[in-house]
Amino acid sequence: MSNVKIDRLGSSFVKVISEILATEIKDENIKFVTITSCNVTNDLSFAKIYFTTQLDKNTMLKDLEEASGYIRGELSERIEIRHTPKIRFQYDNSI
């Protein structure tokens, strides 16, 4: 898959995951998360989602990892691709 398509897919992931976190996740702490970017591997097997938060980043990382199965399921329903990648969250230190 071309880099342009991968980048476009990553942008779509950021948008959809942000919507899911803001409206559908019941954990109130996760609502304080901002998704900053996404890196998708060329074979669509993994997507690394970068986030920031004003709360404790280790606790938030644990909460996001627990919700990753639900988020991946919602992604597969909202974005039409053959294979939905496994999601890994990582705190964005660049900001």
Side-chain angles (χ1 to χ4, degrees):
M1 193 175 279
S2 73
N3 285 340
V4 174
K5 289 182 182 180
I6 295 290
D7 292 343
R8 195 173 334 139
L9 186 62
S11 296
S12 296
F13 281 178
V14 168
K15 181 181 175 189
V16 172
I17 291 172
S18 295
E19 287 176 7
I20 292 169
L21 294 179
T23 60
E24 297 178 24
I25 298 292
K26 296 183 191 230
D27 187 355
E28 290 298 320
N29 289 336
I30 291 181
K31 297 193 186 286
F32 293 105
V33 169
T34 302
I35 304 299
T36 57
S37 65
C38 174
N39 289 338
V40 182
T41 58
N42 287 336
D43 62 353
L44 299 178
S45 60
F46 291 98
K48 190 179 288 186
I49 311 296
Y50 292 94
F51 72 95
T52 60
T53 184
Q54 294 181 350
L55 302 176
D56 180 43
K57 65 182 179 181
N58 294 324
T59 303
M60 196 58 60
L61 180 61
K62 183 179 141 206
D63 291 345
L64 287 169
E65 289 295 334
E66 289 175 2
S68 66
Y70 175 78
I71 294 169
R72 184 177 181 213
E74 288 296 314
L75 273 177
S76 68
E77 291 179 11
R78 297 180 189 195
I79 297 178
E80 293 185 24
I81 54 176
R82 192 173 299 165
H83 175 73
T84 304
K86 293 181 183 177
I87 299 172
R88 301 287 165 118
F89 288 95
Q90 184 168 347
Y91 185 75
D92 190 354
N93 291 316
S94 67
I95 295 181

